[in-house]
Amino acid sequence: MSEPTAVLSPRAEAEQLAGELIGDRADAWDRAGELPLGLLRELGGKGVLCAQVPAAYGGLGLSSADNGELTAHVGALCSSVRSVMTSQGMAAWTIERLGTDEQKAVHLGELTSGRLAGVAFSEPGAGSDLGAMTTTLRTEGDTVVIDGRKAWITVGAYADLLVVFGRHGSGAGAVVVPTDAPGVTVERVADPMGCRAAGHADVTFDGVRLPADRLLGGAGLPVDWLVTSALTFGRVSVAWGCVGILRACLRAAASHAATRQQFGAPLADHQLVARHLAELHVAQEASARCCEQASRCWDENSPELVTSAVTAKHLAAGHAARGAAAAVQVLASAGAQDGGPVARAYRDAKLMEIIEGSNEISQLLLGKHALAVWS
């Protein structure tokens, strides 16, 4: 009599699928600067790319905690795929947060059926200072008109849809734009340093006209209010992705140190190498605990969520950048060769200190919080 087949949780099924589809292919994708579109559509169609979307819209309905561990799992395999998850998740969350019932049914259904989406915040003159955005969303009767240029949009080269933020009246708004709409021009960013296969692109909107029902709710509210909601999701996702980077580095460094012989002994027996491994372990543990706190705040709808998300992203990104550098040091020439997980992590992790709020922006936000709480 055969043993009953174990029933996997939705998160475990998603992790298994991602592991099977990604395997050991990340280095080849990184060198090529391209992810297979079929891979992304399959992951998207199974709800993996925006796993917190409720089941009513075709999603997996994962908690932030479970989606975080899924994100770390994918991040340990391929940061470019994880970047797509972050972007798709941000787009889905923005639609879920701001959309009408009809908009959510239409657009969230698209994102859990294999269509791909990114979020367009930054511009050539508005990176950290998103208040300087010049892209405009103008309502004319039953039409919304989009004009402007967005820079470094993750997934832009693959996206079917972009959630575009811009000026709307005296405030800001967000509109769902098909990338094949007349007036949309997508230009791939050439040779990005990190997450090289994530499809970074610059996108121009030249008099793009769409039905007004593409404009999400909240139009006219302050830009900070609208953007913070989406960025908070992105910061939690990036932080968990950094946990994945640290786990990949720790695995590679520990394996190398245990098997590589120098001066008649394994590298791990040398105290200065053991110190690198210890610091990597501590960095992974601290980052994971901080991410767990941010996800707990998300799942409990805590007023501390925004600060917890910034804290987790700042801490985990810094640890990932330093941890990847330490892993390169342990592997030495073996870690410095392009096409390996440690060299890839070294480049990818640096990008994590910039996206979804640079280290400096995070420090400014956390400094204000510290003054408000502790002074």
Side-chain angles (χ1 to χ4, degrees):
M1 186 174 178
S2 61
E3 292 291 328
T5 303
V7 178
L8 298 178
S9 68
R11 177 186 128 194
E13 285 188 353
E15 289 179 352
Q16 184 179 80
L17 177 65
E20 291 171 354
L21 293 179
I22 296 171
D24 60 358
R25 304 173 184 90
D27 287 323
W29 298 337
D30 184 68
R31 289 194 298 271
E34 189 86 25
L35 292 172
L37 195 56
L39 162 84
L40 299 180
R41 295 215 183 279
E42 184 167 356
L43 289 173
K46 295 293 178 59
V48 177
L49 297 183
C50 48
Q52 283 181 235
V53 170
Y57 301 111
L60 301 181
L62 297 190
S63 65
S64 177
D66 275 342
N67 190 43
E69 287 292 352
L70 170 61
T71 302
H73 177 77
V74 174
L77 296 170
C78 178
S79 282
S80 287
V81 176
R82 195 278 311 153
S83 293
V84 176
M85 288 179 67
T86 297
S87 291
Q88 187 101 338
M90 289 173 71
W93 171 243
T94 302
I95 293 166
E96 186 178 344
R97 184 84 169 83
L98 301 178
T100 64
D101 288 344
E102 184 177 357
Q103 287 172 327
K104 288 187 281 189
V106 171
H107 299 310
L108 293 179
E110 289 179 305
L111 299 190
T112 57
S113 300
R115 302 199 81 193
L116 304 172
V119 179
F121 292 122
S122 59
E123 300 179 1
S128 296
D129 182 12
L130 290 174
M133 285 192 300
T134 59
T135 295
T136 59
L137 316 177
R138 187 176 72 257
T139 303
E140 294 182 357
D142 60 357
T143 301
V144 59
V145 184
I146 305 100
D147 284 288
R149 182 172 176 81
K150 295 294 185 178
W152 268 83
I153 307 307
T154 303
V155 194
Y158 307 123
D160 302 293
L161 304 168
L162 291 173
V163 177
V164 180
F165 284 79
R167 293 286 173 189
H168 185 274
S170 60
V175 61
V176 181
V177 181
T179 54
D180 61 358
V184 178
T185 303
V186 178
E187 305 168 77
R188 195 176 193 118
V189 173
D191 302 319
M193 180 183 73
C195 300
R196 295 193 296 203
H200 307 294
D202 297 336
V203 186
T204 302
F205 306 91
D206 185 8
V208 178
R209 289 181 172 272
L210 297 170
D213 62 7
R214 289 273 179 171
L215 187 66
L216 298 176
L221 289 171
V223 64
D224 287 349
W225 191 95
L226 287 178
V227 167
T228 296
S229 182
L231 278 179
T232 298
F233 184 99
R235 285 165 176 160
V236 174
S237 181
V238 167
W240 276 110
C242 288
V243 172
I245 288 174
L246 284 162
R247 288 173 180 171
C249 287
L250 188 54
R251 188 176 297 115
S255 177
H256 183 81
T259 56
R260 171 71 165 166
Q261 295 276 330
Q262 289 288 279
F263 301 103
L267 275 179
D269 288 353
H270 297 280
Q271 290 180 341
L272 292 179
V273 174
R275 178 180 67 110
H276 284 308
L277 299 179
E279 293 299 329
L280 264 169
H281 168 75
V282 170
Q284 188 277 143
E285 287 290 312
S287 298
R289 301 296 85 77
C290 205
C291 286
E292 288 168 2
Q293 170 64 14
S295 282
R296 189 176 303 115
C297 286
W298 184 289
D299 291 332
E300 295 175 358
N301 197 26
S302 167
E304 296 299 315
L305 170 60
V306 171
T307 301
S308 293
V310 175
T311 302
K313 191 271 177 183
H314 181 59
L315 181 84
H319 276 320
R322 292 187 295 273
V328 172
Q329 197 72 20
V330 172
L331 270 74
S333 58
Q337 184 175 355
D338 199 14
V342 168
R344 176 161 45 86
Y346 183 78
R347 290 183 285 98
D348 292 345
K350 184 58 193 174
L351 200 59
M352 300 305 104
E353 293 191 304
I354 299 170
I355 63 172
E356 318 306 359
S358 66
N359 285 1
E360 292 77 11
I361 291 297
S362 296
Q363 288 169 328
L364 288 173
L365 293 171
L366 294 173
K368 289 179 181 178
H369 176 74
L371 283 172
V373 173
W374 297 98
S375 65

